Amino acid sequence: MYGPLGWGLGAVSALVVFLVARAALRHAAARPPRPVSALADRLVRPRPRAAVRMHRAALAVRRRYAPSALPGRPERAARRDALVEAERAARALRAACAASLVILLLGLVPAAAVLAVWAVWLAWVPWAPSPAEVSATLITFRDAMLSAAALGAATGLVCAGLVALTRDLRRITVRRPGPPVVPAVAALVAVDDGLRTPPFRLARAVGELCRALEAYAERGGHAPHHERWVDLTVHARAVGRALHEAEGAVWKDPDDALPRLVLLLGTVNDRIHDRRWLTLLDDADLPVAPPEPEAPASAGEPGTRPGRWSGVVQQAAVVLPAVAAVGALVFSTITVQQTNDNLRIAEQDTVANRFNTAAGNLAHRSPNVRLAGLFLLERIIQDSPRDQTTILQLLCSYVRDHAPADPSRPAVGRRWEDVAEDVRQAVIIIDTYGDNGVAYDLSGVRLPGLSLLIDLGGFDFSGAQLPGADFMHANLSQAVLTDADLRGADLRGADLSYAFLDGADLRGALLDGAVLTDITYSSKTRWPEGFKIPKTTGLLGS
């Protein structure tokens, strides 16, 4: 029904809507609105049993592999309560993300239904009673494209909803707002479970802890200043490398490496609870970082770490040249535009001056000066096509003024060569550039033997003396030939449909093959001897 263009438009619409809806759904799954988060935080209750079991399992692992680093009883109770609250906050945030995703999905369902109904409404005539009548009432091109776009948009919404239901709703990843307490305890529990399960269980738990530490550091953590935030990020990455190295060594030599990994994880747990973010591990436990090229010192003390404004300065050093280049480009564009405007204004002034000069030459008494003015007008037509119609109308007025019809002086027997040279030149210019769909006024002119090759439809030749004119195969439809002298004119094959011939003198004219459909004439119209007037003509009252 739609054709290749319609199906292509539908596919593009489906892809665009799918990407937009997918981005909206993922945003809803990652950052729920505040009302939804507040409601979930109120409704979600703590699960102390699960948190206590996790806490006890972590303590059992530490007691088995690193008993010397166990915290005291008061600290254990405080950390147990903190673990219960952190686990509840994480579940509340997951519930808020899931709720916001479901709410947005429920909003997409009626939108997809409305688009589908609209597509069907545009594609088919709903009141057609039979398939034959439906196929006979095909839709227009515009409705087909709209229907294809609507159907594609509905398909994109449905696909985005299905992907969200099958993936995002089951795999909601939450950026926890608080310290990574739960991942740290889960990594300790996974040490005991990892020895009885495939090794990826322990590796995944340690990896989640490292990612949580780095994400918390990148968001600033509890560091209010830029310098502390940089130190926190560097330290979190170093801790992640140390934990990964210790976890990898477990599978090579578990007897020696496992106690070290438990000791490191226990230290990280303790210092997370104590909020010692810059000493999650001691320097002796951190791996040696690969040497990095020295960064240039800040503008303050030599050899010191860059200050809080160093990032801004570096970004400014990168951005300012680009801004300068864009400004130069904008300035160049404005300058070029202004130059073009000035050139256009100067060109218009030049054309106006030349036009005034040519008009003054046309009023001169010398024929040679008038010819020079005509040639100058022709050059202006070539240089400024938008002034073509105005100049041609001026030339028609010039012909009417310098070659007026004179009923007291018959023009029969005169030739084209008898017309003044400047008038002939004006007619030649009109014949060269006048084929632009404009009906010009040549009424009341005396031009024996006139021959024009342009489209003469709608031209006004009323009262003109045109004996012996050559209008063979010319288009004179709707032309005004009222009281025109066309004696001896060659009108063979000419199109005179809807022409006005009231009072025209056509004696001796050749009308073989001429189209005279719906012409208007009167009893004053003089026809060639023996000519039979067609029936499809209109006779005016005499």
Side-chain angles (χ1 to χ4, degrees):
M1 177 189 300
Y2 299 116
L5 183 61
W7 290 116
L9 180 62
V12 172
S13 176
L15 179 62
V16 171
V17 173
F18 172 78
L19 294 177
V20 173
R22 174 83 171 128
L25 290 171
R26 294 185 66 178
H27 181 78
R31 297 179 180 179
R34 288 186 178 180
V36 178
S37 299
L39 182 62
D41 192 61
R42 288 185 179 182
L43 296 179
V44 174
R45 301 300 179 185
R47 294 178 180 176
R49 294 184 180 179
V52 168
R53 283 198 299 268
M54 183 183 297
H55 179 66
R56 289 177 179 175
L59 288 178
V61 170
R62 297 183 65 176
R63 188 178 294 110
R64 184 181 308 137
Y65 295 103
S68 60
L70 280 175
R73 290 184 177 274
E75 289 82 1
R76 295 179 194 176
R79 293 172 186 179
R80 180 191 59 201
D81 297 338
L83 180 62
V84 171
E85 178 60 25
E87 192 271 339
R88 188 203 66 81
R91 284 191 297 107
L93 191 55
R94 283 195 297 269
C97 293
S100 62
L101 181 62
V102 171
I103 291 173
L104 191 56
L105 283 174
L106 294 178
L108 292 182
V109 171
V114 169
L115 288 173
V117 171
W118 186 39
V120 174
W121 176 270
L122 289 174
W124 302 102
V125 179
W127 53 81
S130 64
E133 294 185 9
V134 170
S135 61
T137 55
L138 293 179
I139 55 179
T140 62
F141 179 78
R142 178 181 63 85
D143 290 342
M145 296 301 103
L146 289 176
S147 177
L151 187 60
T155 305
L157 290 178
V158 171
C159 293
L162 291 177
V163 172
L165 285 173
T166 55
R167 298 186 62 182
D168 291 337
L169 197 59
R170 297 180 180 179
R171 302 178 182 179
I172 294 179
T173 58
V174 178
R175 292 185 177 181
R176 295 177 178 85
V181 177
V182 177
V185 177
L188 270 175
V189 176
V191 171
D192 195 18
D193 294 340
L195 298 177
R196 299 189 295 268
T197 57
F200 65 83
R201 174 76 178 274
L202 177 59
R204 184 173 62 183
V206 174
E208 289 180 357
L209 173 60
C210 295
R211 286 192 296 271
L213 287 172
E214 189 170 349
Y216 182 71
E218 288 179 354
R219 291 194 306 274
H222 287 76
H225 301 292
H226 174 75
E227 296 180 358
R228 293 299 183 186
W229 172 77
V230 173
D231 294 341
L232 183 62
T233 303
V234 173
H235 183 68
R237 292 176 180 175
V239 171
R241 289 195 300 269
L243 293 178
H244 277 300
E245 290 181 2
E247 182 268 331
V250 169
W251 310 110
K252 299 178 182 178
D253 188 5
D255 295 335
D256 295 335
L258 194 60
R260 172 173 170 75
L261 177 60
V262 173
L263 181 63
L264 293 179
L265 290 175
T267 304
V268 171
N269 267 275
D270 296 339
R271 295 183 180 180
I272 285 177
H273 284 283
D274 296 339
R275 302 182 182 277
R276 298 170 59 182
W277 301 109
L278 291 176
T279 55
L280 293 175
L281 290 177
D282 296 330
D283 294 339
D285 297 328
L286 297 177
V288 180
E292 298 181 356
E294 295 183 0
S298 61
E301 301 177 0
T304 59
R305 187 166 50 88
R308 60 180 299 181
W309 295 105
S310 61
V312 178
V313 174
Q314 294 176 359
Q315 293 179 0
V318 176
V319 172
L320 286 180
V323 172
V326 172
L329 179 61
V330 172
F331 178 76
S332 301
T333 304
I334 295 175
T335 303
V336 171
Q337 184 65 31
Q338 291 179 350
T339 304
N340 292 335
D341 294 340
N342 294 333
L343 290 176
R344 194 178 300 108
I345 294 173
E347 181 182 356
Q348 292 175 359
D349 293 340
T350 303
V351 170
N353 294 331
R354 292 166 64 189
F355 186 83
N356 293 332
T357 302
N361 291 343
L362 294 182
H364 202 273
R365 301 174 64 180
S366 173
N368 294 330
V369 177
R370 295 199 296 269
L371 278 175
L374 292 172
F375 290 135
L376 182 56
L377 287 176
E378 184 178 8
R379 185 59 182 271
I380 294 174
I381 291 177
Q382 296 173 357
D383 296 340
S384 180
R386 65 178 182 177
D387 298 321
Q388 175 180 340
T389 302
T390 303
I391 295 175
L392 292 179
Q393 289 174 347
L394 175 63
L395 293 178
C396 291
S397 177
Y398 180 82
V399 173
R400 292 196 304 269
D401 292 340
H402 289 77
D406 187 0
S408 63
R409 292 167 44 197
V412 178
R414 298 285 183 176
R415 298 178 301 171
W416 176 247
E417 290 76 10
D418 296 333
V419 180
E421 184 178 0
D422 55 338
V423 175
R424 282 184 291 159
Q425 183 60 37
V427 174
I428 290 174
I429 296 175
I430 294 172
D431 191 27
T432 303
Y433 302 98
D435 199 0
N436 56 359
V438 179
Y440 294 101
D441 183 7
L442 289 173
S443 60
V445 297
R446 180 185 176 91
L447 298 174
L450 174 66
S451 178
L452 294 175
L453 301 178
I454 61 175
D455 186 358
L456 301 175
F459 271 51
D460 188 359
F461 291 105
S462 58
Q465 291 179 325
L466 306 173
D470 184 6
F471 291 147
M472 186 177 181
H473 298 293
N475 179 22
L476 289 165
S477 61
Q478 300 183 2
V480 181
L481 298 170
T482 304
D483 298 326
D485 184 1
L486 295 170
R487 286 177 289 179
D490 189 355
L491 295 170
R492 290 175 296 176
D495 184 4
L496 291 166
S497 56
Y498 301 98
F500 295 89
L501 299 174
D502 180 22
D505 191 351
L506 296 168
R507 289 177 295 176
L510 302 177
L511 294 171
D512 298 338
V515 180
L516 300 174
T517 305
D518 293 329
I519 63 173
T520 303
Y521 68 100
S522 67
S523 59
K524 297 180 181 180
T525 304
R526 298 183 181 182
W527 300 97
E529 185 178 356
F531 181 75
K532 294 183 179 180
I533 304 174
K535 296 181 179 180
T536 59
T537 58
L539 176 63
L540 294 175
S542 56

